[in-house]
Amino acid sequence: MDSLEFKTRRGDEAERLLNSPMLRQAFEDVRAGLANTWAALDTTDERYSEFSKDLHRKMKMLASVEMCIKEHVSTGKIAQKSIEAATKRPFSFNQLKQT
């Protein structure tokens, strides 16, 4: 399997993940859990700043995972368009250079 085919398949799988009700619910549940934990933090606790930063890092990491999956979808679509363009092209640029 070449690189474009691999990227296309990975993009298809990433899109299935993003459209999965279970994964969507998991993202929502984790996000809500983190927000609820942050809201319940005792602001008088001397470790408030440390806990708050930790929750912020977790929220950013969750967003990074989601963005990574979306990037795989986008890369897969670009790869698929490249494959389609290559099959429609009557000759390659290398052939043009040789003549």
Side-chain angles (χ1 to χ4, degrees):
M1 175 182 340
D2 71 11
S3 178
L4 289 177
E5 289 173 353
F6 173 76
K7 289 176 182 177
T8 300
R9 288 184 183 174
R10 185 174 58 189
D12 290 343
E13 181 62 27
E15 191 162 30
R16 279 191 290 280
L17 282 173
L18 281 179
N19 292 330
S20 164
M22 180 60 77
L23 186 67
R24 296 278 12 120
Q25 189 63 53
F27 275 113
E28 290 175 26
D29 291 348
V30 171
R31 212 174 267 117
L34 292 170
N36 291 337
T37 301
W38 177 80
L41 285 178
D42 180 1
T43 57
T44 62
D45 189 323
E46 62 185 36
R47 298 170 297 171
Y48 172 78
S49 179
E50 176 186 338
F51 292 149
S52 183
K53 286 178 184 177
D54 185 50
L55 289 167
H56 181 261
R57 280 190 293 271
K58 289 176 182 178
M59 289 288 277
K60 295 291 262 181
M61 186 57 69
L62 183 65
S64 293
V65 169
E66 192 170 18
M67 182 55 68
C68 181
I69 296 170
K70 288 178 180 180
E71 286 175 4
H72 285 305
V73 171
S74 179
T75 300
K77 288 180 180 183
I78 292 168
Q80 182 60 41
K81 287 182 182 183
S82 294
I83 291 170
E84 290 170 3
T87 58
K88 291 179 184 177
R89 199 176 310 138
F91 56 86
S92 72
F93 289 111
N94 290 334
Q95 291 172 329
L96 184 63
K97 289 179 185 177
Q98 293 173 358
T99 54

